[in-house]
Amino acid sequence: MATRTMTRAALITALLAAACLDASAPAWTAEPALAPAAAPIQVIGSDAGSRFVQLGVGKSVVIDLPRDIKDVLVAEPKFANAVVRSTRRAYLIGVAVGQTNIYFFDAEGHQIAGFDVAVTRDLNGVRAMLQKMFPQGELRVDGIGDGVMISGSVANAAEAQQAYDVASRLVGDGTKVVNGLTIRGRDQVMLKVTVAEVARNVIKQLGVDLNGSLSYGSTILNFNNSNPFTALGQPLVDGNAITGSFKSVNATLRAMERAGVIRTLAEPNLTAISGESATFLAGGEFPIPAGYQCDPTTKICQLAIQFKKFGVGLTFTPVVMSEGRISLRVSTEVSELTNDNAIQLVQGSSTQTIPSIKTRRAETTVEIPSGGSLAMAGMIQEQTKHQISGLPGLMELPVLGALFKSRDYVNNQTELMVIVTPYIVRAVASKDLSRPDDGFTDVGDPAAILLGRLNKIYGKPGQPNPAPDYRGKYGFILD
């Protein structure tokens, strides 16, 4: 018992001594406690999980949510609004054309649903009208801001244009309508064109050139009368004349006449898809100078050349409006090189003649049935130049006045006719087509040398020669 008492006393004494020792010892600085870690930032509502909703101005949609609604966020109330009628039902209402976001949250702040709302103009009227007009068509009308986009497919280009026109009228502005319609079966149109032209020119020149001198006593009169033939610009043939002399007077009679006929015939055939363009040119290109191109390093300049087209050209764009009706925009041109209005380019000791182009062009847009023909251009042109020049006074003398004057007469007559015939075409088997060289066989050397033949067989035996497509006479020249 005594031992247990002493042990307890000793323990108490040791504790008191330790307490005194801590009181006398210097104080230690405590280290600051670490701050708790910050909570991570979380995005509660975003477009990632939002659903797209399209509304018309003044239209609404009813939304049923799976949990009770505590809070509603509308990004831009001037475009759309959200009205909550019960804890789980809301109404989205389109106010003005634009886009905004609407989010719904529960009592714990978690997102229930998010909607990406696009408010466009009301398109129900446009949809109903297009569905009524094209019950067989697959049309879709979508809003893009304050504009409209029509997509889907129709039977032909006429229906596509008609749908675009109706939508433009209902919207009020055609620039806000995007036509994205496709044509299910695009027709192909072949255009057969006949370009026939006959030109005739007649030139008559008559004049007397006088060169000499007359003397009376001590008076000498020298004269030189040369006919310029200004109507044509030059004599027909230089040096081809009848000359004579009487005493000191030399006379040269220039009497020439020229008549020519030019016939041009082309029948190009082109095929193009409805709505697309096709181009044809039967002719060539001729070079003309287009300035100089200089190398900045070598300082050497070379003449640049450009090429201009000429011949019979054709460009057309067909649009199949309905069964058998074709809207056709066609442009045709007939051009040829001529020395009229040509220019002379002198370069050093060489002279180059640059010809000009005589062009007849016609362009129009018509609506014509398949297989129907139209005379697109029937142009008759006649130009007459008649000029008399000579010495004043002497050219007025009867009979003798013919020695002092010249007559230049030029007459040009041209008639051009362009006939267009469109056809709606379908694909054809290759066996039903023929080539220009079908049945052509080269001749052997004995027949070519002894008989002068160029070919052995041309055409199928036993069949008559096909009649040419060109019939009748074009123009006013009948002889």
Side-chain angles (χ1 to χ4, degrees):
M1 184 67 182
T3 303
R4 184 180 297 177
T5 304
M6 291 179 60
T7 303
R8 185 178 297 175
L11 180 60
I12 295 173
T13 303
L15 291 175
L16 291 176
C20 294
L21 182 61
D22 292 339
S24 61
W28 294 91
T29 304
E31 294 182 0
L34 296 176
I41 299 176
Q42 297 182 359
V43 179
I44 303 301
S46 66
D47 291 338
S50 299
R51 296 179 58 182
F52 178 76
V53 177
Q54 186 173 2
L55 293 176
V57 177
K59 300 294 182 177
S60 62
V61 64
V62 181
I63 303 297
D64 286 335
L65 300 175
R67 300 193 300 273
D68 293 344
I69 304 172
K70 181 61 177 178
D71 191 12
V72 181
L73 172 62
V74 180
E76 189 56 70
K78 70 178 182 179
F79 295 143
N81 197 4
V83 178
V84 179
R85 291 300 184 183
S86 65
T87 57
R88 295 194 178 188
R89 174 166 291 186
Y91 303 95
L92 306 183
I93 304 174
V95 179
V97 175
Q99 290 185 340
T100 185
N101 292 330
I102 300 178
Y103 298 101
F104 295 93
F105 303 94
D106 57 11
E108 298 179 357
H110 297 158
Q111 177 182 343
I112 303 175
F115 299 95
D116 186 7
V117 182
V119 182
T120 61
R121 62 172 67 242
D122 187 16
L123 304 177
N124 290 335
V126 180
R127 292 191 184 97
M129 180 59 67
L130 293 180
Q131 183 63 29
K132 181 179 179 181
M133 293 181 60
F134 309 103
Q136 304 298 330
E138 300 175 359
L139 302 181
R140 180 178 176 181
V141 181
D142 298 316
I144 305 177
D146 60 344
V148 177
M149 179 175 181
I150 308 175
S151 59
S153 61
V154 291
N156 49 54
E159 292 186 359
Q161 183 65 33
Q162 191 174 3
Y164 173 79
D165 294 339
V166 171
S168 301
R169 180 64 61 87
L170 295 178
V171 172
D173 188 358
T175 59
K176 297 182 179 180
V177 179
V178 179
N179 189 357
L181 295 173
T182 59
I183 300 174
R184 289 191 292 268
R186 304 188 69 178
D187 295 319
Q188 299 187 58
V189 179
M190 183 189 74
L191 185 67
K192 179 180 179 181
V193 180
T194 300
V195 180
E197 181 184 20
V198 174
R200 179 176 67 178
N201 59 83
V202 177
I203 302 174
K204 297 180 180 180
Q205 294 180 348
L206 177 62
V208 178
D209 296 343
L210 297 178
N211 184 10
S213 61
L214 296 176
S215 61
Y216 181 77
S218 61
T219 303
I220 300 175
L221 177 62
N222 297 321
F223 60 91
N224 184 7
N225 180 26
S226 179
N227 298 293
F229 298 112
T230 56
L232 182 62
Q234 60 182 357
L236 285 179
V237 180
D238 294 335
N240 188 6
I242 301 176
T243 60
S245 61
F246 177 75
K247 293 186 178 181
S248 60
V249 178
N250 298 322
T252 302
L253 176 63
R254 298 181 181 271
M256 298 297 295
E257 181 175 352
R258 184 177 68 184
V261 176
I262 300 176
R263 173 175 175 254
T264 303
L265 177 64
E267 290 186 333
N269 295 335
L270 287 179
T271 302
I273 299 176
S274 176
E276 302 295 335
S277 299
T279 303
F280 170 85
L281 175 64
E285 297 181 351
F286 71 99
I288 60 173
Y292 287 90
Q293 293 180 349
C294 299
D295 190 349
T297 304
T298 61
K299 306 300 182 180
I300 298 177
C301 297
Q302 295 181 352
L303 184 64
I305 300 297
Q306 289 184 352
F307 290 87
K308 295 295 183 179
K309 298 180 180 179
F310 69 95
V312 179
L314 171 67
T315 301
F316 82 104
T317 304
V319 177
V320 180
M321 305 298 294
S322 60
E323 189 65 27
R325 302 292 298 180
I326 302 172
S327 176
L328 187 65
R329 180 177 182 84
V330 59
S331 173
T332 183
E333 178 180 310
V334 180
S335 58
E336 60 180 333
L337 300 180
T338 178
N339 289 327
D340 297 340
N341 302 321
I343 61 175
Q344 301 289 334
L345 181 62
V346 179
Q347 184 180 8
S349 60
S350 63
T351 302
Q352 298 178 354
T353 301
I354 303 176
S356 61
I357 299 180
K358 182 188 297 184
T359 304
R360 283 81 69 199
R361 183 183 297 111
E363 182 177 356
T364 185
T365 301
V366 295
E367 184 175 344
I368 188 171
S370 176
S373 297
L374 174 69
M376 193 187 76
M379 183 183 69
I380 299 177
Q381 181 181 3
E382 183 173 0
Q383 183 184 46
T384 301
K385 297 180 181 179
H386 195 183
Q387 190 166 357
I388 297 177
S389 57
L391 292 176
L394 296 180
M395 61 179 295
E396 303 296 336
L397 295 176
V399 182
L400 295 179
L403 300 176
F404 302 95
K405 64 182 178 182
S406 64
R407 175 177 178 263
D408 196 6
Y409 175 80
V410 179
N411 180 256
N412 295 321
Q413 298 175 340
T414 303
E415 182 175 359
L416 171 66
M417 176 171 286
V418 180
I419 302 175
V420 295
T421 306
Y423 297 93
I424 299 179
V425 297
R426 299 291 183 268
V428 64
S430 59
K431 63 182 181 62
D432 297 331
L433 300 177
S434 61
R435 304 185 320 219
D437 61 340
D438 287 345
F440 181 86
T441 303
D442 290 333
V443 70
D445 292 340
I449 297 174
L450 300 178
L451 302 179
R453 294 179 179 176
L454 299 178
N455 59 280
K456 184 177 181 181
I457 300 175
Y458 190 47
K460 296 182 180 180
Q463 293 185 0
N465 294 330
D469 293 334
Y470 169 73
R471 299 182 181 88
K473 297 180 179 180
Y474 287 90
F476 38 75
I477 301 175
L478 303 179
D479 53 353

